[in-house]
């Protein structure tokens, strides 16, 4: 669920980041006040947008942009547009559109002014504007601001120059506007092959900003589009389409990550030229850049994420080790934990690295109060209480949540044979070890005090069972139980009543904090222990866990019933996160 609306701008919300400061200054000056749309309806003074390209699955970096754009619109009683920049048909698919929409909604945001299903749905596609992009390109050509270039791709690249050398004008730069316009229309009609011609803005081939050296605005691409089919064989370039989309939608604040900083002059150039042509009124949208999210122990390159999926390095886009939103969701992250993480890291103008522990810490803080408790034995070892009657079953009681007694209690049986953790027995104890070893007493948590009497071993000398005796008057919560003073307290489940379940012990996908920095091969940094599948024994009530239901397995961490593989009465659990951050310690 989304966070409740915060105070409106006129209530002077604290400027917790520089983007809020920009918005508040614009509100104070009335820069975007008194605007109306094409139907003369009043527009809010703050309109943002989240504009993903539907060419992959969203990741944690996109989550920051989602929380930022939708959150700022909410905070200042504006609106945020959900828009797909679908201008590249060779890489875009409906599958990506569907998962992006689902991810945004799961994070707690929507593009309807009155909630999901509301009357004002601000869901847009760049492909909605193909006719307008084309008409505006014709205007730019007619006005002498653009031309059709017929150079080869190699010649264009060669003549573009580099950071130390100015570019050279194309031999077609001074082509008459009428000739360029004729060629552009023939491009649209499908007369030419891919790459045979391209439309370029006419700006400055000597500009120190490479993005202003006559950037391409239209290219030929004979490809099927997931929404428009084969209606078009020319498509606008992103840098040309992006500012136009913002202006058509009356976006006030266009927030981008820092890699678009050098593209801003072209963004402004496009809108200024089109405003001169009468397409848009001022004030025009304003682009502002912020630092993208760089998260340690992760890669967020779409290309590398796709590579890991295609090479079966991971088990799909929703592999719980992936930084994709679908992966985080399956891992057991909550929308609230991701929103909390984004709030904690804030927004800055300079690139920096955020430690994975910050994301995991937000998750722990969110789950601590929410997750009911349960007992799980992950590395089972048999414990036999020799003096416990064979046919006796005694109910033990534990709170559903230790800090919220109103949530009630859960019950589970203790019997003669139990499962305990392997590490809770040592035949020869080390210094400071207070769990089971011959002659030592411990309390079975929520149950009885027992004294270890010995162990059984197999032919190789491996311990296969531990023996003990119990004290009938020591049961937790009963009169006299406090008379037993022991230092050790261990977890257990009844071997005859426990739920046998598959548990996937997930850890960080990479062992290197910066797996793809400095030209590294990120595959060399993969953590070989990022996934381990074990058979564990769980408290019997876990049988009824529903997909996506989260628990704290006492002592072990937070776990979630897998949303894909769990079945009724047979849940599969993923480790979400450990109880404490012990990575690298």
């Amino acid at each position: 669920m989304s966070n409740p609306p915060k105070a409106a701008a006129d209530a002077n919300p604290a400027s917790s980041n520089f983007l809020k400061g920009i918005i508040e200054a614009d509100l104070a000056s009335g820069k975007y006040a008194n605007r109306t749309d094409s139907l003369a309806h009043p527009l809010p003074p703050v309109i943002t947008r989240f504009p993903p390209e539907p060419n992959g699955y969203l990741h944690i970096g996109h989550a920051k942009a989602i929380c930022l754009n939708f959150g700022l619109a909410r905070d200042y009683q504006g609106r945020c547009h959900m828009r797909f920049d679908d201008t590249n048909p060779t890489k875009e698919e409906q599958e990506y559109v569907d998962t992006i929409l689902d991810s945004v909604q799961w994070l707690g945001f929507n593009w309807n002014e009155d909630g999901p299903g509301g009357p004002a749905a601000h869901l847009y596609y760049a492909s909605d504007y193909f006719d307008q992009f084309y008409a505006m390109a014709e205007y730019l050509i007619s006005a002498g601001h653009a031309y059709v270039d017929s150079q080869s791709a190699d010649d264009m690249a060669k003549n573009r120059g580099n950071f130390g050398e100015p570019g050279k004008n194309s031999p077609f730069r001074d082509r008459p506007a009428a000739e360029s316009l004729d060629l552009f229309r023939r491009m649209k009609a499908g007369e030419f092959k891919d790459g045979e011609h391209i439309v370029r803005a006419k700006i400055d081939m000597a500009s120190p900003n490479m993005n202003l050296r006559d950037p391409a605005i239209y290219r030929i691409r004979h490809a099927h589009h997931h929404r428009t089919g084969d209606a078009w064989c020319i498509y606008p370039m992103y840098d040309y389409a992006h500012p136009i989309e913002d202006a058509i939608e009356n976006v006030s604040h266009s927030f981008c990550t820092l890699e678009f900083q050098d593209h801003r002059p072209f963004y402004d150039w496009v809108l200024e030229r089109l405003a001169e042509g009468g397409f848009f009124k001022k004030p025009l949208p304003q682009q502002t850049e912020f630092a993208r999210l760089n998260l340690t122990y992760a890669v967020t390159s779409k290309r590398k994420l796709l590579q890991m999926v295609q090479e079966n390095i991971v088990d799909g886009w929703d592999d719980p080790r992936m930084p994709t939103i679908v992966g985080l969701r399956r891992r057991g992250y909550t929308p609230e934990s991701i929103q909390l993480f984004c709030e904690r890291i804030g927004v800055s103008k300079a690139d920096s690295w955020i430690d994975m522990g910050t994301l995991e810490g937000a998750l722990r803080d969110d789950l601590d109060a929410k997750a009911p408790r349960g007992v799980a034995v992950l590395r089972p070892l048999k414990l036999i209480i020799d003096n416990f009657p064979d046919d006796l079953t005694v109910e033990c009681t534990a709170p559903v949540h230790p800090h919220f007694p109103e949530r009630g209690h859960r019950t589970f049986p203790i019997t003669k044979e139990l499962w305990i953790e392997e590490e809770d027995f040592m035949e020869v104890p080390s210094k400071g070890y207070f769990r089971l070893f011959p002659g030592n007493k411990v309390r079975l948590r929520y149950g009885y005090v027992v004294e270890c009497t010995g162990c059984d071993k197999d032919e190789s000398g491996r311990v296969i069972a531990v023996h003990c005796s119990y004290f009938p008057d020591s049961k937790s919560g009963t009169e006299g139980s406090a008379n037993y003073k022991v230092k050790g307290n261990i977890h257990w489940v009844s071997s005859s009543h426990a739920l046998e379940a598959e548990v996937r012990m997930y850890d960080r996908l990479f062992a290197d904090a910066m797996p793809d920095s400095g030209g590294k091969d990120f595959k060399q940094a993969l953590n070989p222990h990022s996934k381990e599948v074990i058979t564990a024994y769980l408290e019997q009530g876990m049988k009824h866990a529903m997909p996506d239901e989260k628990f704290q397995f006492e002592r072990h961490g937070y776990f979630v019933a897998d949303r894909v593989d769990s079945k009724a009465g047979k849940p599969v659990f993923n480790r979400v996160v450990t109880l404490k951050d012990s990575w690298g310690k």
Side-chain angles (χ1 to χ4, degrees):
M1 296 178 65
S2 59
N3 291 339
K6 296 182 180 179
D10 59 6
N12 295 317
S15 297
S16 58
N17 62 61
F18 76 99
L19 298 180
K20 284 191 173 186
I22 290 171
I23 290 175
E24 289 169 17
D26 290 341
L27 290 170
S29 69
K31 179 176 180 179
Y32 294 104
N34 305 315
R35 297 187 304 160
T36 57
D37 63 17
S38 59
L39 299 176
H41 296 149
L43 292 167
V46 176
I47 300 179
T48 61
R49 84 288 173 271
F50 174 61
E53 184 181 355
N55 63 352
Y57 281 64
L58 299 185
H59 54 65
I60 187 64
H62 295 110
K64 175 182 176 179
I66 292 168
C67 291
L68 179 69
N69 283 290
F70 281 93
L72 287 172
R74 172 202 61 205
D75 291 352
Y76 293 95
Q77 295 188 333
R79 72 184 188 215
C80 182
H81 293 180
M82 179 71 226
R83 183 214 300 151
F84 288 97
D85 273 312
D86 55 344
T87 58
N88 188 353
T90 62
K91 294 184 178 180
E92 297 158 358
E93 298 179 17
Q94 187 62 39
E95 173 191 354
Y96 297 138
V97 171
D98 295 340
T99 186
I100 289 169
L101 292 175
D102 182 64
S103 292
V104 173
Q105 290 179 312
W106 175 76
L107 275 173
F109 301 102
N110 70 79
W111 42 90
N112 301 307
E113 288 187 2
D114 298 316
H122 296 290
L123 173 60
Y124 305 103
Y125 295 82
S127 52
D128 292 337
Y129 313 132
F130 279 173
D131 287 327
Q132 289 156 285
F133 294 148
Y134 177 80
M136 293 177 195
E138 280 208 350
Y139 162 74
L140 292 175
I141 292 172
S142 299
H145 298 309
Y147 62 98
V148 172
D149 193 350
S150 304
Q151 292 183 96
S152 68
D154 287 343
D155 286 342
M156 279 185 63
K158 186 188 305 179
N159 291 332
R160 191 163 181 253
N162 53 49
F163 289 108
E165 178 185 351
K168 297 177 182 177
N169 286 347
S170 165
F172 303 98
R173 195 174 196 266
D174 295 323
R175 173 178 262 163
E179 183 182 335
S180 281
L181 195 58
D182 176 65
L183 285 169
F184 186 41
R185 289 169 178 170
R186 291 167 63 193
M187 288 166 60
K188 178 176 181 288
E191 291 187 25
F192 305 113
K193 298 176 182 178
D194 288 9
E196 200 168 344
H197 301 287
I198 195 166
V199 181
R200 299 176 72 179
K202 188 184 292 185
I203 306 180
D204 181 6
M205 288 301 293
S207 173
N209 185 337
M210 300 288 289
N211 297 287
L212 295 180
R213 294 186 183 180
D214 290 9
I217 63 173
Y218 254 99
R219 79 285 209 199
I220 302 170
R221 186 150 290 174
H222 292 273
H224 185 83
H225 190 279
H226 70 101
R227 292 189 76 238
T228 61
D230 298 316
W232 293 86
C233 63
I234 57 171
Y235 292 92
M237 305 298 288
Y238 174 82
D239 277 357
Y240 168 71
H242 177 215
I244 295 174
E245 295 160 43
D246 284 348
I248 289 173
E249 295 173 16
N250 296 297
V251 167
S252 58
H253 298 85
S254 182
F255 297 128
C256 306
T257 45
L258 279 176
E259 60 261 38
F260 292 100
Q261 182 170 274
D262 290 340
H263 298 244
R264 190 191 334 140
F266 183 53
Y267 179 102
D268 294 337
W269 183 92
V270 169
L271 294 184
E272 289 288 345
R273 299 294 79 74
L274 293 175
E276 292 168 1
F279 290 95
F280 302 121
K281 296 179 181 179
K282 295 186 177 182
L284 298 168
Q286 171 183 341
Q287 177 176 307
T288 307
E289 302 81 25
F290 63 93
R292 62 175 290 172
L293 172 60
N294 297 306
L295 189 67
T296 61
Y297 298 100
V299 297
T300 53
S301 158
K302 284 184 179 180
R303 178 181 61 81
K304 292 172 183 175
L305 293 175
L306 177 61
Q307 182 181 349
M308 288 195 290
V309 172
Q310 291 178 333
E311 295 181 7
N312 297 316
I313 294 171
V314 294
D315 303 323
W317 287 102
D318 67 343
D319 186 304
R321 296 165 293 178
M322 289 277 273
T324 55
I325 293 178
V326 290
L328 293 168
R329 182 180 183 180
R330 190 171 178 186
R331 176 72 171 259
Y333 275 79
T334 62
E336 295 83 3
S337 67
I338 295 175
Q339 288 191 37
L340 178 60
F341 167 69
C342 292
E343 182 180 320
R344 286 180 175 176
I345 63 174
V347 183
S348 72
K349 298 181 182 181
D351 274 329
S352 61
W353 285 86
I354 304 297
D355 190 85
M356 176 70 78
T358 305
L359 176 60
E360 294 171 342
L363 178 60
R364 290 187 188 95
D365 290 346
D366 184 59
L367 290 180
D368 180 51
K370 293 178 177 178
R373 278 25 178 187
V375 175
V377 174
L378 304 183
R379 315 286 179 181
L381 174 64
K382 184 67 65 71
L383 176 67
I384 302 170
I385 309 175
D386 293 317
N387 63 334
F388 201 92
D390 292 346
D391 57 353
L392 180 63
T393 298
V394 177
E395 290 295 323
C396 296
T397 302
V400 171
H401 196 295
H403 305 310
F404 301 98
E406 67 275 12
R407 298 187 190 177
H409 289 78
R410 61 192 206 272
T411 59
F412 41 87
I414 188 168
T415 54
K416 184 181 183 72
E417 294 191 1
L418 311 174
W419 292 114
I420 63 170
E421 293 288 348
E422 277 186 341
E423 63 181 29
D424 285 345
F425 172 77
M426 292 184 71
E427 190 173 11
V428 180
S430 57
K431 184 178 180 181
Y433 187 83
F434 299 116
R435 284 167 273 178
L436 285 170
F437 56 86
N440 192 46
K441 296 185 182 69
V442 301
R443 177 171 292 282
L444 300 176
R445 188 167 171 81
Y446 310 120
Y448 296 96
V449 171
V450 297
E451 181 176 0
C452 181
T453 56
C455 63
D456 298 331
K457 300 179 181 179
D458 63 15
E459 293 179 355
S460 66
R462 183 176 68 92
V463 175
I464 56 174
V466 178
H467 291 265
C468 67
S469 298
Y470 88 114
F471 299 90
D473 60 346
S474 65
K475 186 171 182 289
S476 292
T478 62
E479 187 177 352
S481 63
N483 295 329
Y484 290 85
K485 307 296 182 184
V486 295
K487 293 184 177 181
N489 193 319
I490 67 171
H491 293 79
W492 55 274
V493 291
S494 166
S495 62
S496 55
H497 294 78
L499 170 69
E500 183 180 298
E502 178 180 318
V503 175
R504 298 161 181 173
M505 304 292 286
Y506 287 111
D507 205 340
R508 297 179 184 180
L509 184 57
F510 295 96
D512 187 328
M514 298 180 183
D516 59 349
S517 65
K520 297 176 188 172
D521 178 359
F522 71 98
K523 292 191 290 184
Q524 297 300 313
L526 287 164
N527 176 13
H529 308 296
S530 63
K531 178 183 177 182
E532 180 188 9
V533 180
I534 62 174
T535 298
Y537 293 94
L538 281 56
E539 187 180 313
Q540 58 182 5
M542 294 291 171
K543 181 178 181 180
H544 306 294
M546 300 297 292
D548 262 344
E549 191 173 1
K550 300 162 186 70
F551 300 87
Q552 184 194 105
F553 288 176
E554 297 181 20
R555 171 178 171 180
H556 295 301
Y558 294 97
F559 291 74
V560 63
D562 188 84
R563 63 192 311 265
V564 176
D565 295 329
S566 292
K567 303 291 186 292
K570 193 174 182 181
V572 174
F573 289 92
N574 301 329
R575 182 169 67 185
V576 186
V577 68
T578 55
L579 289 178
K580 294 181 180 180
D581 182 4
S582 59
W583 186 261
K585 296 179 181 178

